[in-house]
């Protein structure tokens, strides 16, 4: 299977190396923060310490996965000052909203974090302890989506690149999952395949509709969505599950087209120094030439990692992506 995943581009590798030099890579579990913190909902503001969120007893044991498990890829000490490697336009208000959403869910007593691997699987591969699905509940019985953040296959930038998307989808009534996966192109796709399997196997308990589901991703996460959409769960260690009704991709310079791509929406900025808008535009053109629905939005002057695009020329792209998905649900 190695031929499916060529070595990451030198830009990603050099940036990843740069992010790990200097003070050295630290684990989020070794920050020295006091244990046993329990925040009130009103305590969660832009001034809230990131460590207080990680170690909040209501968020145990998954609080450490809200932010990158490898803290070498983030900076800032508060929710308002959070910065993630390779990402622009991090919205502090959205970061606060997401943490408050998690706190609200814990206060209501509902489960919204799910392990995708058993204890035995995690014992055999300890990296699987840093995986799981955050569930953003929409309407019961509504369609479902899985969002995968980017991070150059070096870390998972969920706070900016998948949590906001999943939350927005849930506000529109959809049931959305945000995947925390093992960095690395192969392992990330294995984890996404497992997440798809989990979603289908527990659909009745979760009260969700998995028919015509969609896969969403930014940067590395967009590659994951595209690869699973084209190659299927069976190519990554799971049994055969239905392919997605739509793949939604943000800012990734993926060029390969196999000829069996699902309907695909893409968006990217012209000032993206990591993902070429021309490469993305060409891929969409080739998918369309195969008779498959495909669409791209190109935003003048935007760099890599604009997320929801709030306050930029890209604002509203997620509404267009949802309409694209809905259009392809209706076609099936």
């Amino acid at each position: 299977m190695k031929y499916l995943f060529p070595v990451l581009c030198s830009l990603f590798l050099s940036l990843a190396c740069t992010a790990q030099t200097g003070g050295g890579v630290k684990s989020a579990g070794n920050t020295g923060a006091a244990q046993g913190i329990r925040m009130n909902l009103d305590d969660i503001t832009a001034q809230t310490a990131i460590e207080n969120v990680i170690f909040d007893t209501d968020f145990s044991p998954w609080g450490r996965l809200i932010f990158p498990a490898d803290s070498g890829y983030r900076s800032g000490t508060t929710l308002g000052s959070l910065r993630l490697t390779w990402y622009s336009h991090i919205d502090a208000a959205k970061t606060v909203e997401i943490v408050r959403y998690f706190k609200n869910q814990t206060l209501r007593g509902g489960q919204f974090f799910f392990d995708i691997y058993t204890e035995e699987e995690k014992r055999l591969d300890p990296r699987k302890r840093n995986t799981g699905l955050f569930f953003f509940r929409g309407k019961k019985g509504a369609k479902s989506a899985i969002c995968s953040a980017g991070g150059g296959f070096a870390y998972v930038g969920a706070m900016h690149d998948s949590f906001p998307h999943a939350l927005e989808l849930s506000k529109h009534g959809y049931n959305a999952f945000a995947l925390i996966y093992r960095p690395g192109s192969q392992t990330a796709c294995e984890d996404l395949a497992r997440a798809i399997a989990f979603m289908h196997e527990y659909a009745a308990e979760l009260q969700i509709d998995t028919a015509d589901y969609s896969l969403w991703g930014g940067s590395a996460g967009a590659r994951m969505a595209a690869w699973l959409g084209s190659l299927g769960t069976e190519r990554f260690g799971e049994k055969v599950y239905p392919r997605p009704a739509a793949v939604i991709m943000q800012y990734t310079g993926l060029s390969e087209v196999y000829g069996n791509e699902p309907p695909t929406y893409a968006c990217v900025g012209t000032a993206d120094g990591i993902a070429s808008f021309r490469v993305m535009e060409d891929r969409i053109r080739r998918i369309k030439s195969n008779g498959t629905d495909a669409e791209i939005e190109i935003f003048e002057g935007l760099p890599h990692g604009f997320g929801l695009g709030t306050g930029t020329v890209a604002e509203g792209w997620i509404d267009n992506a949802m309409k694209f998905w809905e259009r392809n649900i209706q076609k099936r």
Side-chain angles (χ1 to χ4, degrees):
M1 195 178 295
K2 290 182 179 178
Y3 70 93
L4 296 175
F5 302 105
V7 178
L8 290 174
C9 66
S10 59
L11 176 59
F12 267 144
L13 287 177
S14 62
L15 287 171
C17 291
T18 300
Q20 297 184 63
T21 58
V25 176
K26 299 183 295 182
S27 166
N30 294 324
T31 57
Q35 303 295 310
I37 296 166
R38 190 170 191 270
M39 299 181 295
N40 295 314
L41 188 61
D42 292 339
D43 294 335
I44 301 170
T45 69
Q47 288 72 48
T48 298
I50 290 171
E51 290 185 349
N52 286 359
V53 176
I54 293 171
F55 292 105
D56 189 309
T57 55
D58 283 342
F59 295 166
S60 179
W62 45 262
R64 60 193 174 80
L65 300 179
I66 295 175
F67 304 96
D70 182 342
S71 62
Y73 291 96
R74 65 171 168 84
S75 61
T77 59
T78 65
L79 296 182
S81 63
L82 174 68
R83 296 294 179 267
L84 299 172
T85 303
W86 304 313
Y87 282 107
S88 62
H89 298 87
I90 293 179
D91 184 348
K94 184 61 65 175
T95 302
V96 171
E97 181 185 2
I98 289 163
V99 176
R100 289 176 66 88
Y101 172 87
F102 290 155
K103 175 60 78 168
N104 255 322
Q105 296 305 304
T106 63
L107 294 175
R108 292 175 181 175
Q111 184 177 359
F112 64 95
F113 178 82
F114 296 90
D115 285 310
I116 56 174
Y117 291 109
T118 66
E119 283 302 315
E120 177 62 13
E121 288 172 315
K122 288 186 279 188
R123 185 186 67 79
L124 294 173
D125 182 356
R127 294 177 302 163
K128 290 179 178 177
R129 296 193 181 281
N130 288 338
T131 65
L133 282 171
F134 285 87
F135 182 36
F136 293 75
R137 163 71 69 185
K139 295 179 181 178
K140 290 182 179 179
K143 299 293 183 183
S144 305
I146 301 177
C147 304
S148 300
F153 291 120
Y155 78 99
V156 182
M159 184 54 82
H160 176 64
D161 218 25
S162 62
F163 289 162
H165 304 62
L167 180 59
E168 193 66 22
L169 286 166
S170 73
K171 289 178 180 179
H172 283 76
Y174 295 111
N175 292 298
F177 298 86
L179 173 65
I180 307 299
Y181 57 85
R182 291 168 293 165
S185 57
Q186 178 68 30
T187 51
C189 286
E190 290 171 3
D191 294 345
L192 180 52
R194 175 59 64 94
I196 293 169
F198 176 93
M199 182 179 69
H200 282 84
E201 290 169 7
Y202 291 95
E205 290 89 336
L206 294 169
Q207 297 179 291
I208 62 175
D209 182 0
T210 57
D212 298 315
Y213 71 96
S214 57
L215 295 179
W216 298 60
S219 198
R223 290 174 178 253
M224 293 162 58
W227 284 328
L228 264 295
S230 297
L231 303 174
T233 51
E234 64 273 23
R235 297 294 290 268
F236 301 100
E238 301 295 330
K239 71 179 185 181
V240 177
Y241 288 92
R243 303 290 176 89
V247 167
I248 311 298
M249 305 175 66
Q250 284 189 277
Y251 36 74
T252 194
L254 184 67
S255 60
E256 62 213 42
V257 173
Y258 295 95
N260 64 340
E261 280 65 31
T264 302
Y265 167 96
C267 64
V268 64
T270 60
D272 194 321
I274 296 175
S276 166
F277 74 90
R278 291 186 176 87
V279 170
M280 294 187 70
E281 188 175 40
D282 181 66
R283 185 171 188 271
I284 292 298
R285 179 190 60 77
R286 291 162 64 200
I287 292 173
K288 289 178 71 173
S289 71
N290 291 328
T292 301
D293 192 9
E295 180 180 318
I296 187 168
E297 290 191 88
I298 299 173
F299 302 113
E300 187 67 32
L302 272 191
H304 194 73
F306 53 81
L308 293 181
T310 304
T312 75
V313 293
E315 187 164 358
W317 75 264
I318 194 168
D319 297 314
N320 298 334
M322 280 188 275
K323 290 175 184 175
F324 178 87
W325 176 24
E326 291 161 358
R327 182 169 81 218
N328 282 286
I329 290 173
Q330 295 166 4
K331 284 184 177 182
R332 293 164 67 90

